[in-house]
Amino acid sequence: MLKGTLEGCVLEIIGAEETYGYAITRRLNDLGFTDVVEGTVYTILLRLEKNGLVQVTKRPSEVGPPRKFYALNEAGREELATFWAKWEYITSRIAKLKEGGS
Amino acid sequence: MLKGTLEGCVLEIIGAEETYGYAITRRLNDLGFTDVVEGTVYTILLRLEKNGLVQVTKRPSEVGPPRKFYALNEAGREELATFWAKWEYITSRIAKLKEGGS
DNA sequence: TACTGCTACATCGTATCACTGAGTAGTGAC
DNA sequence: GTCACTACTCAGTGATACGATGTAGCAGTA
């Protein structure tokens, strides 16, 4: 039902700013998703790339191995909008359920 | 990350009133979770029973096969409280992410 | 009595998501 | 030269929820 929530979060982060896997993991950790680890994020990124939702650019880093920067393309922005719409819907339904609504 | 959300919804429904699988499915459908089907609900109910979160009572029905009524036990109520706490946490984090917060 | 339709429960198989854990590599500091 | 941090990859895995199907009780009707 809510599968792909973390994927949506990653899309949102990429949509706000072109960034790379390691930084996305740190950002999620800072946001409070403390148990999200790199392995998880990279599998999501690879899936996004495979599904053609992102544009990938490899750039050298001054402090380590080269980074793969991700940016949303048109399909990615549509997917992100779809995700938020779905998220709003589900959360509103669950809120309704919680307050005993019919 | 959000695994068990539907399970939490089912727990909430059972917690509000002792009820049975078919009725839970109808309730979820009425609430807007239109694509939740019986098979999904029954697997959740069997899991709840297996994990010792519910008390099950079989009662005859006047309009069909006997019904298995489910009620929360103490462990179930604790699980439900845990679920809502987790849900609040996750939704607040995602809201923060959406509005561009750090 | 045969059928149709609704209620009600059960289960097998499966797609996908996210996690675990391990590995590889570059840079800089001590 | 070893440690720490940065950075990416991948194989294996568990769990969730969905799809599809099957079984069965009851009621109406023709």
Side-chain angles (χ1 to χ4, degrees):
Chain A
M1 184 169 74
L2 277 162
K3 61 183 177 187
T5 303
L6 195 52
E7 181 177 311
C9 294
V10 171
L11 277 174
E12 173 68 22
I13 291 173
I14 296 173
E17 182 189 15
E18 187 186 42
T19 183
Y20 56 97
Y22 190 79
I24 293 170
T25 309
R26 292 290 150 267
R27 177 106 170 83
L28 286 169
N29 293 154
D30 289 346
L31 276 164
F33 304 108
T34 52
D35 49 358
V36 173
V37 293
E38 294 167 47
T40 303
V41 173
Y42 286 114
T43 51
I44 291 172
L45 289 172
L46 290 175
R47 190 164 64 238
L48 292 178
E49 188 176 357
K50 183 181 150 201
N51 294 345
L53 301 176
V54 289
Q55 192 194 340
V56 187
T57 315
K58 205 161 192 170
R59 301 213 189 99
S61 165
E62 294 169 357
V63 292
R67 295 165 173 164
K68 280 176 74 176
F69 281 83
Y70 293 83
L72 292 191
N73 59 24
E74 193 50 40
R77 276 187 290 275
E78 282 174 23
E79 182 68 19
L80 179 57
T82 303
F83 165 71
W84 281 127
K86 191 177 157 192
W87 173 255
E88 292 292 345
Y89 182 79
I90 297 281
T91 50
S92 74
R93 296 298 131 174
I94 291 185
K96 200 173 174 182
L97 166 65
K98 192 181 179 185
E99 62 193 39
S102 63
Chain B
M1 184 169 76
L2 277 163
K3 64 182 177 189
T5 303
L6 195 51
E7 182 177 313
C9 294
V10 170
L11 277 174
E12 172 67 24
I13 292 174
I14 295 172
E17 182 189 16
E18 187 186 42
T19 182
Y20 55 98
Y22 190 78
I24 293 169
T25 311
R26 292 289 151 266
R27 176 107 171 81
L28 285 169
N29 293 154
D30 289 347
L31 276 165
F33 304 108
T34 52
D35 48 359
V36 173
V37 292
E38 293 169 47
T40 303
V41 173
Y42 286 114
T43 51
I44 291 172
L45 289 173
L46 289 176
R47 190 162 67 238
L48 292 179
E49 189 176 355
K50 184 181 150 200
N51 293 346
L53 302 175
V54 290
Q55 191 195 342
V56 187
T57 315
K58 203 161 193 170
R59 299 213 190 100
S61 165
E62 293 169 359
V63 292
R67 296 163 173 165
K68 280 176 75 176
F69 280 82
Y70 293 83
L72 292 192
N73 58 25
E74 193 49 42
R77 276 187 289 276
E78 281 173 25
E79 182 69 18
L80 179 58
T82 303
F83 164 71
W84 281 126
K86 192 176 157 193
W87 173 255
E88 292 294 343
Y89 182 78
I90 297 281
T91 50
S92 74
R93 296 298 131 175
I94 292 185
K96 200 172 174 183
L97 166 64
K98 192 181 179 184
E99 62 193 40
S102 63

